[in-house]
């Protein structure tokens, strides 16, 4: 049996929270199987981050410090992670299910001829094998995937577990790896233009999903409710993907993480990627015509029915109560 390798990610000069979640999964696997935990921290001038991660669940941290790792680029990341896999003797390699994780993890799996399980929300030991859980069909079903090969590479969905919060004794080992940028080169990061919406500061958010049906229904149905409550409007990803609202409105793992006093989710099914962004809200009201929608599992109050009827009625009730 080999070890576990966590491939940590750095964002805005810090180890991403999802890497501490990987540390929590790694602790679980280590406790069940006796594997040792190791990690890879890749970047430029990251010795301090590597040291911190070693003491926060990262175990033996292999650190690759190089200008070519200052910004994610697949060619250099791939080479550095391969070196970390070899140095760690890992047979379980964990990535976050993030854009760089999607990009590089399958390459590592192909190189190792390993099982590849993506977008997982949990992992457990079953007999001699690891069994990964992943949500399918927009969160309506949970699938369990047994890794039957000797080596497994998995990407874990951010928000699937609490980040590891303990302190551990770890160590940092410098990784000697020669990198090149012959095939792919980082050029620049472009930050999208902001429309000034900052949902992270809103006390009340009225969010709409695909069930809202059309762009104009946001201004016709949801904006009046948000205005009546003195709140802001939010959205699920399909709404943004369809171009109904700009990306600043998106709540979820690839949008904003919000913690308002009140979150109203209208026509949102409750996929894990959305829940990750809003489950910390103080009070959640869900409006959905499907009584089995997963959003009701996190809601404090639920209304089953057509949002086109419920939202205007709610708006009217709020306006009357305020008058
Ligand atoms: C890597 C990755 C990152 C992602 N990041 C995000 C993210 O940041 N944020 C995010 O939201 N998603 C994200 N997603 C997408 C996510 O998996 C779901 O697909 C998405 O959240 C579903 O959006 P939805 O609930 O609006 O749509 P659906 O899942 O299609 O749900 C629509 C809901 O509306 C209900 N409905 C339909 N009509 C009505 C009506 N008239 N009245 C009441 N209810 C109605 C339906 O019953 C259904 O429950 C991500 C996915 C991946 C793979």
């Amino acid at each position: 049996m080999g070890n576990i390798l966590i491939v940590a990610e750095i964002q805005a000069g810090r180890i991403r929270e999802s890497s501490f979640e990987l540390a929590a999964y790694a602790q679980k696997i280590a406790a069940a199987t006796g594997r040792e935990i190791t990690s890879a921290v890749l970047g430029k001038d990251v010795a301090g981050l590597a040291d911190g991660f070693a003491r926060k669940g990262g175990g033996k941290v292999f650190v690759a410090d190089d200008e070519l790792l200052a910004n994610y680029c697949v060619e250099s990341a791939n080479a550095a992670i391969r070196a970390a896999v070899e140095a760690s003797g890992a047979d379980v390699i964990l990535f976050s299910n993030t854009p760089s994780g999607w990009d590089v993890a399958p390459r590592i799996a192909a190189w190792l001829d390993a099982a590849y399980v993506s977008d997982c929300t949990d992992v457990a030991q079953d007999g001699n094998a690891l069994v990964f859980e992943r949500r399918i069909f927009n969160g309506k079903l949970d699938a369990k995937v047994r890794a039957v090969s000797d080596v497994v590479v998995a990407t874990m969905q951010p928000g699937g577990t609490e980040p590891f919060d303990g302190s551990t004794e770890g160590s940092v080992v410098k990784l000697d790896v020669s990198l090149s940028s012959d095939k792919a080169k980082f050029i620049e990061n472009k930050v999208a233009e902001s429309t000034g919406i900052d949902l992270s500061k809103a006390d009340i958010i009225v969010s709409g999903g695909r069930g809202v049906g059309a762009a104009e229904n946001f201004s016709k149905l949801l904006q009046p409710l948000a205005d009546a409550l003195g709140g802001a409007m939010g959205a699920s990803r399909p709404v943004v993907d369809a171009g109904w609202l700009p990306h600043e409105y998106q709540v979820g793992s690839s949008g904003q993480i919000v913690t308002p006093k009140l979150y109203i989710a209208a026509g949102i099914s409750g996929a894990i990627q959305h829940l990750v962004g809003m489950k910390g809200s103080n009070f959640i009201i869900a409006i959905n015509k499907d009584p089995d929608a997963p959003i009701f599992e996190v809601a404090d109050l639920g209304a089953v029915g057509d949002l086109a009827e419920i939202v205007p009625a709610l708006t009217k009730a709020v306006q009357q109560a305020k008058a």
Side-chain angles (χ1 to χ4, degrees):
M1 190 184 297
N3 295 320
I4 305 160
L5 179 72
I6 299 166
V7 181
E9 272 184 46
I10 295 171
Q11 194 179 42
R14 302 177 63 181
I15 303 265
R16 279 185 79 145
E17 178 148 295
S18 62
S19 302
F20 293 99
E21 294 168 10
L22 295 183
Y25 289 120
Q27 292 283 337
K28 193 174 173 188
I29 299 169
T33 65
R35 286 178 168 89
E36 299 279 318
I37 300 175
T38 70
S39 301
V41 169
L42 324 172
K44 177 68 191 142
D45 300 327
V46 289
L49 292 180
D51 190 47
F53 195 54
R55 285 182 280 111
K56 280 273 177 197
K60 184 174 184 180
V61 176
F62 294 95
V63 57
D65 212 304
D66 194 292
E67 192 61 50
L68 286 178
L69 297 167
N71 291 284
Y72 173 79
C73 192
V74 68
E75 189 179 357
S76 40
N78 191 27
I81 295 166
R82 283 184 182 205
V85 170
E86 280 168 349
S88 64
D91 63 354
V92 178
I93 300 141
L94 302 178
F95 290 82
S96 297
N97 198 62
T98 55
S100 53
W102 311 327
D103 194 32
V104 73
R107 294 168 200 260
I108 297 294
W111 167 64
L112 289 166
D113 197 18
Y116 179 61
V117 198
S118 64
D119 205 4
C120 307
T121 52
D122 204 359
V123 57
Q125 175 79 3
D126 183 14
N128 288 331
L130 288 174
V131 175
F132 292 84
E133 262 183 45
R134 52 202 307 267
R135 285 200 166 173
I136 54 173
F137 298 119
N138 272 334
K140 289 194 171 59
L141 295 177
D142 286 333
K144 288 191 173 175
V145 180
R146 180 183 297 267
V148 291
S149 62
D150 293 339
V151 184
V152 58
V153 174
T155 68
M156 308 301 294
Q157 185 57 239
T161 189
E162 292 296 319
F164 179 72
D165 196 23
S167 39
T168 51
E169 273 195 27
S171 58
V172 176
V173 181
K174 191 171 171 299
L175 203 56
D176 275 323
V177 51
S178 99
L179 303 173
S180 78
S181 58
D182 293 346
K183 298 195 186 91
K185 196 176 192 155
F186 171 82
I187 298 183
E188 65 173 323
N189 273 324
K190 274 197 176 174
V191 180
E193 267 180 46
S194 168
T195 53
I197 304 284
D198 185 2
L199 290 181
S200 64
K201 294 196 173 67
D203 275 344
I204 297 175
I205 298 176
V206 178
S207 240
R210 204 189 325 247
V212 173
E216 59 269 24
N217 289 342
F218 278 85
S219 47
K220 212 168 81 187
L221 299 171
L222 296 200
Q223 189 68 61
L225 179 57
D227 290 345
L229 290 165
M233 219 165 44
S236 69
R237 180 164 159 172
V239 168
V240 172
D241 288 348
W244 296 350
L245 286 175
H247 185 256
E248 278 90 341
Y249 289 81
Q250 185 178 317
V251 173
S253 63
S254 49
Q256 297 213 45
I257 308 289
V258 298
T259 49
K261 291 183 182 146
L262 173 64
Y263 188 88
I264 301 181
I268 294 178
S269 59
I272 183 149
Q273 296 90 349
H274 189 81
L275 300 186
V276 165
M278 46 64 78
K279 67 182 180 191
S281 306
N282 195 42
F283 197 87
I284 299 170
I285 300 178
I287 303 166
N288 200 301
K289 67 178 184 185
D290 174 6
D292 296 323
I295 191 76
F296 288 123
E297 289 168 26
V298 298
D300 297 284
L301 202 69
V304 177
D306 186 351
L307 67 86
E309 290 169 16
I310 295 170
V311 172
L314 197 53
T315 307
K316 204 170 156 197
V318 173
Q319 286 164 340
Q320 280 171 350
K322 284 173 100 179

